Every structure is written in C-alpha cells, then in structure tokens.
Amino acid sequence: REVIEFLRAAILSEQNLIIAGGTSSGKTTWLNNLASYIPPGESIITIEDPAELQLQHPDVRRLEARPANIEGKGAITMDTHLEDSLRMSPTRIVVGECRGGEVFTMLQAMNTGHPGSMTTVHSNSAKDTIYRTVNMVLMRKDMNMPTDAILNLIFSAVDIIVYVLRDQTGLRRIDHIVELKDVVRASDGRTQDIELNLLWQYEDGTWNWKAEEFLREEAFAKVGWALY
C-alpha cells in the first residue's frame, strides 16, 4: 500500500516517469494502472505501436503508428505522432514504449511544458535505463548530439524510474524505484553519468524505503504524501 500511495503521489505531483523492465515484465500493465491516477480534468494523448493501453480516463486521444503499405508509402512513425502531439495541447503525453529515436522527442516533451508524462523502456535495471535511453537517442539518423548533452537532457526531463520484473516464480512486480539525483561530471566538466537515489527496494518479501534523503519530498507533500 505504501508503494502505491507513493506512485499515486508521483502522478498527482506531475513527476515524469519511465517504467522500465524486461520483456513481459508488466510495463504496459503498470502504465495503465498509474495513468488511472491522472486527474479527470486533464487531457491525455497516448502514442503507441501497436495500441495496447486502455486508460480509464474521460479525456484520452489515441495515436497509433502505422507501417508503410506494400508500395512503401503511408507510414506514420511514433516520432511523427510525438511531434504532432505537441501541437494538440495535451496536459500529459503517454508513450506506450520508446524503442528508438522517438525517445529524444519524448524527452523534449517532458522538458518543455508536459510534466507528468510517462513512457516505458526495455532495460535490465533502473541504471541500465539511462544507458539504453542514451543509445536510443543516438539511433536517430539526424542526431549529432554528444553523449554529455544527452545525459543532461535526460537528467532535466526524467524524475523517477520504476523498474519492474518477472521473477523466477512468474510473479510480475516492482523491484526498485529510483529518483534522478544529480549529474556526475568528469575532470573537464562534461557530464559522464547520472547519479540515482534508490527510494524503494523489494527484499525479503516486501518493499522497503531505502533513501536517507528524498529530493522531491516537498512536491510530494503538496499532494498529501508523507513517508509512513
């Protein structure tokens, strides 16, 4: 219950979330669950390939990527939908899964007026999610952005990473939750990594609060959350 209340507060306080995990770990299910906490007065745009989300919300506009026809024409990519969604005045943008260069546009959306947006990413841990996101940005053919600039963009855009997995018993669950704490700089001043602050960790059959300091505690307190 404490973890759910924490995640509910994350949604209400408009934190930008990445739900990360491996194949069939329950990322989309968690995205559906968390999106149910978005207040009914807000406007949501979902972008997917293929469409899987079933958000229980009164104001959802659904965009779905489309492959090219037999003549190689008519394709509509997730990146195109993301760029179009920025002109549609949504309160939040929910991307079913970022698999490639569209993650750059998602980061920009999170960083330019759409707080509380969410997406999912394939990765092996919350830490690995940072590296996967950097690699996906570099997959863009038109991208000539240095790694340190990409890390700075991730740090300014993403607030919290929720890592989910399917354990050896087949149970799908949250394993750990982190917040992005600070950038790690090299001797020349360039950003070389992002420091994560472990908040929740599943161990010994339950979830335990691990952080000595929570940077976003004030924002969470404004929506009624307090550490038990």
Side-chain angles (χ1 to χ4, degrees):
R1 181 182 60 83
E2 291 83 0
V3 178
I4 290 297
E5 286 301 314
F6 174 85
L7 291 172
R8 177 177 178 273
I11 300 300
L12 295 179
S13 61
E14 299 183 331
Q15 306 298 309
N16 289 326
L17 269 64
I18 292 180
I19 301 172
T23 302
S24 191
S25 58
K27 298 186 298 298
T28 301
T29 299
W30 270 107
L31 197 60
N32 266 314
N33 290 339
L34 296 184
S36 68
Y37 292 125
I38 296 174
E42 299 188 12
S43 174
I44 306 171
I45 289 180
T46 65
I47 302 169
E48 301 177 85
D49 180 20
E52 296 177 319
L53 292 173
Q54 298 177 352
L55 304 190
Q56 304 302 308
H57 192 276
D59 187 355
V60 180
R61 287 169 285 175
R62 304 179 64 184
L63 303 178
E64 184 177 7
R66 183 177 68 191
N69 61 23
I70 194 171
E71 297 176 349
K73 300 178 180 179
I76 302 178
T77 65
M78 290 182 67
D79 202 23
T80 298
H81 276 321
L82 264 168
E83 293 174 357
D84 290 343
S85 71
L86 301 179
R87 306 183 185 96
M88 298 168 65
S89 300
T91 308
R92 307 192 193 215
I93 299 173
V94 177
V95 177
E97 182 180 339
C98 282
R99 300 190 187 98
E102 70 273 0
V103 74
F104 175 70
T105 310
M106 183 69 207
L107 292 171
Q108 286 188 310
M110 288 178 168
N111 208 21
T112 54
H114 297 86
S117 294
M118 296 181 283
T119 189
T120 70
V121 169
H122 268 90
S123 70
N124 297 318
S125 66
K127 188 65 176 179
D128 183 55
T129 303
I130 302 296
Y131 307 135
R132 282 276 299 148
T133 304
V134 170
N135 289 333
M136 285 191 290
V137 171
L138 293 173
M139 288 171 64
R140 287 181 69 112
K141 296 180 180 179
D142 59 344
M143 184 56 60
N144 188 24
M145 195 174 184
T147 300
D148 63 316
I150 299 173
L151 287 169
N152 286 330
L153 177 62
I154 294 171
F155 180 72
S156 63
V158 180
D159 295 302
I160 291 174
I161 299 173
V162 180
Y163 185 75
V164 301
L165 55 71
R166 184 176 183 181
D167 65 20
Q168 295 178 344
T169 69
L171 178 67
R172 295 175 174 88
R173 60 169 171 80
I174 291 175
D175 185 71
H176 56 279
I177 301 173
V178 305
E179 67 172 339
L180 277 66
K181 183 176 181 180
D182 202 356
V183 294
V184 179
R185 300 192 184 278
S187 57
D188 60 1
R190 291 183 299 175
T191 300
Q192 64 178 8
D193 203 353
I194 293 176
E195 181 183 358
L196 303 179
N197 185 27
L198 179 62
L199 302 175
W200 293 93
Q201 176 69 61
Y202 184 84
E203 52 190 4
D204 300 326
T206 189
W207 288 269
N208 295 310
W209 179 263
K210 308 296 288 187
E212 296 182 1
E213 179 186 18
F214 178 33
L215 300 180
R216 294 162 175 83
E217 185 172 1
E218 183 177 347
F220 277 54
K222 291 180 178 177
V223 296
W225 180 85
L227 184 62
Y228 60 92

